[in-house]
Amino acid sequence: MPRYFCENCGFTDKLDKNLYFCPNCGDPLTITYSDDELEVNFSGSGVWRYSGVLPVDPNKKVSLKEGNTPLYKSLHLGSGVKGLYIKNEGMNPTGSFKDRGMTVAITRAIEKNFKSVICASTGNTSASLAIYAARAGIRGYVVVPDGAVALGKMAQARAAGAHIIKVRGNFDLALQMVKDFARKSDEAYLVNSVNPFRIEGQKTVAYEIVEEIGAPDWITIPVGNAGNITALWKGLNEMKRLGKIKYLPKLLGVQASGASPIVKAFNDSSNKIEPVVSPNTLATAIKIGNPASWRRALKAVRESRGAMIEVSDDHIVQAQYLLSSREGIFVEPASAASVAGFLSALQNGLIRKEDTVVSIVTGNGLKDPDSVSRFESIEITVGSEEGLLHSVIAQ
Ligand code: F0G
């Protein structure tokens, strides 16, 4: 049977309990499988295509058909490499990659008879939690930093009828609060990415990439609380164990300059992070100073022989505009960090021209409509005078 496993200290336990953190060292737990438990018979599409490698009962699934997101070949931004592919996770049911993990975590909540689920969130997790809790007919509680969540994400949580708890403070404080709650109470199931079932769902992005194009040389991914890079690396390793790929891609984890404690630890070859007390970036989804899964992220990039890099807010905005105006892919700022990271790594020679690269973009542009006010758009207002439109368009 799959088991809980602590990658830091080696603790293991059976899956029948509801654990999030290692009782010995406090790190978030992972779920492991022995070789004969990894099942290769994939059928159907999306996250549940991989139900043989998901530790929940697929007959109880709470699903809105997540996963199976498009992988686009870049037309312009990838001209400096052999191939750049963009995996658009913004095409998931609630517009972000969180749905891959949420469908599995909410299914687990139902299996365990929880009537409520809770998370701390910079926005996308709360949108996903709210919608999946609604689908499952259970109560959703979202704890968010007051005034620091993009409009579209709040709209989704409200529309789905979640209980919204606004914290006077940042995401790191909100996460601390829900962790403290989960330590003392079993009243609500915690579905942040410290929940190992979330990671299981999110690893399927790696399965999809590999099934479509095999192993690229690099995969770039934005990093906030560091759950998603943990999941990506887990999925890639499982695909290698299954014999679907011969080598593992290098990971490029990208943080925003104002919220980059893992980049600093990577550059300093350190084995611990110094949390950023007041993280700051316009990419609010990844405005996180004390990422819960930092240790697993560092381990993943080091094992892959990849890197952690940071990108400035200006570069994020530029990449966001280039993606929408040159590639037709409209993403939110945190997602654009992935592509800004690719461009920066190409420029400094880390990524080379013979490389094949996949950039994972994590959230839809509609999530954060205010962010486009930073672009210079071409807008005029006209009356109905005859010939006016013709003269404007001919210019
Ligand atoms: N991109 C987007 C659009 C996100 O919403 C997040 C995280 C990330 C990237 C980073 O992923 O945290 O697994 O490293 N959003 C979380 C939330 C924190 O609450 O919605 P990570």
Side-chain angles (χ1 to χ4, degrees):
M1 294 295 280
R3 292 175 70 83
Y4 291 117
F5 175 66
C6 176
E7 292 185 26
N8 185 39
C9 75
F11 165 88
T12 83
D13 205 346
K14 293 205 291 285
L15 285 191
D16 54 355
K17 295 180 200 148
N18 296 314
L19 299 181
Y20 314 103
F21 297 98
C22 174
N24 292 340
C25 73
D27 258 29
L29 291 167
T30 306
I31 293 172
T32 54
Y33 305 78
S34 63
D35 282 345
D36 48 317
E37 282 161 3
L38 278 182
E39 158 139 16
V40 218
N41 294 328
F42 304 147
S43 75
S45 87
V47 167
W48 295 93
R49 170 175 174 73
Y50 308 106
S51 54
V53 291
L54 297 174
V56 285
D57 180 358
N59 297 316
K60 296 202 173 123
K61 74 181 176 206
V62 179
S63 172
L64 291 160
K65 304 200 175 179
E66 44 295 309
N68 193 24
T69 55
L71 183 71
Y72 301 115
K73 179 115 202 245
S74 154
L75 302 175
H76 298 280
L77 295 177
S79 60
V81 287
K82 186 166 159 207
L84 169 68
Y85 295 84
I86 295 160
K87 179 75 168 161
N88 190 1
E89 290 287 279
M91 299 296 276
N92 274 299
T94 77
S96 87
F97 71 97
K98 306 286 180 182
D99 298 341
R100 287 184 189 273
M102 204 54 74
T103 181
V104 176
I106 299 292
T107 300
R108 168 75 175 182
I110 295 301
E111 279 182 350
K112 290 289 179 185
N113 294 316
F114 279 98
K115 300 284 175 272
S116 302
V117 284
I118 189 169
C119 72
S121 177
T122 57
N124 281 323
T125 304
S126 46
S128 187
L129 175 152
I131 295 283
Y132 280 83
R135 184 81 184 170
I138 57 177
R139 269 188 306 275
Y141 293 90
V142 302
V143 184
V144 294
D146 192 13
V149 176
L151 185 65
K153 305 173 189 180
M154 287 309 289
Q156 290 173 290
R158 284 197 187 107
H163 297 242
I164 299 170
I165 300 154
K166 297 179 190 172
V167 173
R168 286 188 211 93
N170 60 24
F171 168 83
D172 298 301
L173 178 66
L175 183 64
Q176 193 54 52
M177 287 167 65
V178 297
K179 276 165 60 178
D180 290 345
F181 167 82
R183 202 167 290 130
K184 292 180 198 130
S185 167
D186 240 354
E187 278 300 304
Y189 193 46
L190 178 61
V191 295
N192 275 99
S193 61
V194 295
N195 181 318
F197 289 85
R198 272 276 310 277
I199 301 293
E200 289 304 294
Q202 281 173 215
K203 75 184 180 185
T204 59
V205 73
Y207 281 68
E208 284 181 13
I209 292 169
V210 163
E211 282 209 281
E212 201 164 339
I213 59 160
D217 299 297
W218 284 90
I219 300 181
T220 78
I221 183 169
V223 175
N225 211 24
N228 209 26
I229 192 168
T230 301
L232 172 66
W233 188 234
K234 185 172 198 288
L236 290 168
N237 276 282
E238 288 177 0
M239 279 308 242
K240 181 145 180 285
R241 282 171 64 195
L242 285 166
K244 300 275 185 188
I245 46 174
K246 294 207 169 52
Y247 66 91
L248 290 161
K250 298 189 191 75
L251 300 189
L252 187 72
V254 189
Q255 294 197 292
S257 302
S260 56
I262 308 178
V263 177
K264 185 162 188 312
F266 179 81
N267 289 341
D268 295 349
S269 301
S270 167
N271 284 326
K272 63 177 200 311
I273 59 157
E274 284 165 34
V276 174
V277 179
S278 301
N280 189 27
T281 168
L282 56 80
T284 52
I286 52 172
K287 189 171 159 185
I288 295 174
N290 190 14
S293 296
W294 64 267
R295 200 193 307 273
R296 294 189 294 186
L298 266 182
K299 185 165 169 266
V301 289
R302 283 177 180 154
E303 280 178 7
S304 80
R305 291 176 296 115
M308 289 292 310
I309 59 168
E310 60 184 351
V311 290
S312 69
D313 278 4
D314 281 352
H315 282 131
I316 289 174
V317 173
Q318 245 170 42
Q320 188 190 11
Y321 185 63
L322 285 171
L323 270 168
S324 46
S325 63
R326 305 297 305 277
E327 303 280 358
I329 303 170
F330 180 32
V331 305
E332 66 164 285
S335 308
S338 183
V339 172
F342 157 73
L343 292 171
S344 154
L346 183 62
Q347 199 174 29
N348 72 22
L350 188 60
I351 290 180
R352 293 176 305 182
K353 64 176 188 309
E354 61 270 24
D355 288 337
T356 300
V357 182
V358 173
S359 279
I360 297 178
V361 295
T362 43
N364 198 297
L366 295 170
K367 292 276 194 173
D368 191 354
D370 294 327
S371 69
V372 301
S373 63
R374 299 181 189 105
F375 303 163
E376 252 176 60
S377 63
I378 307 155
E379 290 175 27
I380 59 166
T381 308
V382 296
S384 60
E385 297 87 345
E386 204 185 325
L388 202 148
L389 200 53
H390 183 264
S391 69
V392 169
I393 290 168
Q395 269 171 20

